[in-house]
Amino acid sequence: MSSPVSPSSSLPPLTWLRAFEASARHLSFTRAAGELNLTQSAISQHVRSLETFLGRELFIRKTRALELSEAGANYTPIVREAFDLIAAGTQAFTGGDQGRHLVLQCNMAFSVFWLSPACPVCTKSSPGWY
C-alpha cells in the first residue's frame, strides 16, 4: 500500500506529539514529563521541535505558567482525536475486548421463559457480564 506523501516528510515524530498532548492537557511541562517518564527539559525540547516543524508557537510561556496559544488550542483536539483513533484501531486490531463479550443465539421460547428470568441471577454471580 503506498501513500501519496511519505509519512516521514509530512508528519512530526510521535514523541513530539505525545509531549505536546500531555503538556496541553496538564498545562505543565513538568507534569507532562512525569506522566511520560521523561525530563522536563526533554518535554520542552520536544514541544519546541514540534513548534519549529509546524512553524507556529503552540504555547505561551510565562514564568511558572504555561498557556495554550490560539494555534495550540486549535491543534490540541486534532492530536487528541488522532491518538484516540490510534488507540481504538489498535484495540480493534488486537481484540482488546476479547473474552468480555458473550453472544447467545437461542429460540424465542428459551429466551423468554428461561434466559430472561435467569439474567438477574447471572448479573449477581458475574457483575459486568452484560
Side-chain angles (χ1 to χ4, degrees):
M1 180 165 77
S2 64
S3 62
V5 177
S6 169
S8 61
S9 66
S10 63
L11 296 175
L14 187 59
T15 53
W16 296 357
L17 294 171
R18 289 179 64 214
F20 166 69
E21 192 281 328
S23 298
R25 191 166 13 93
H26 294 293
L27 291 177
S28 167
F29 290 152
T30 302
R31 286 191 296 247
E35 177 182 318
L36 298 175
N37 295 315
L38 296 170
T39 64
Q40 182 272 338
S41 178
I43 294 293
S44 179
Q45 184 59 46
H46 288 329
V47 171
R48 186 69 74 190
S49 295
L50 180 61
E51 289 173 326
T52 300
F53 181 88
L54 297 172
R56 297 184 178 163
E57 288 194 4
L58 300 172
F59 290 99
I60 300 167
R61 292 158 176 84
K62 298 181 177 183
T63 306
R64 299 247 179 234
L66 193 63
E67 294 178 17
L68 284 168
S69 67
E70 184 178 348
N74 290 333
Y75 196 48
T76 298
I78 295 167
V79 173
R80 284 186 182 146
E81 184 178 346
F83 280 132
D84 289 345
L85 184 60
I86 291 168
T90 301
Q91 184 175 7
F93 183 75
T94 61
D97 61 356
Q98 196 171 23
R100 298 179 70 187
H101 291 266
L102 176 64
V103 177
L104 296 175
Q105 292 182 334
C106 56
N107 68 36
M108 179 72 88
F110 178 79
S111 68
V112 170
F113 295 111
W114 188 88
L115 188 59
S116 293
C119 283
V121 173
C122 293
T123 302
K124 287 178 185 173
S125 65
S126 300
W129 71 275
Y130 52 92

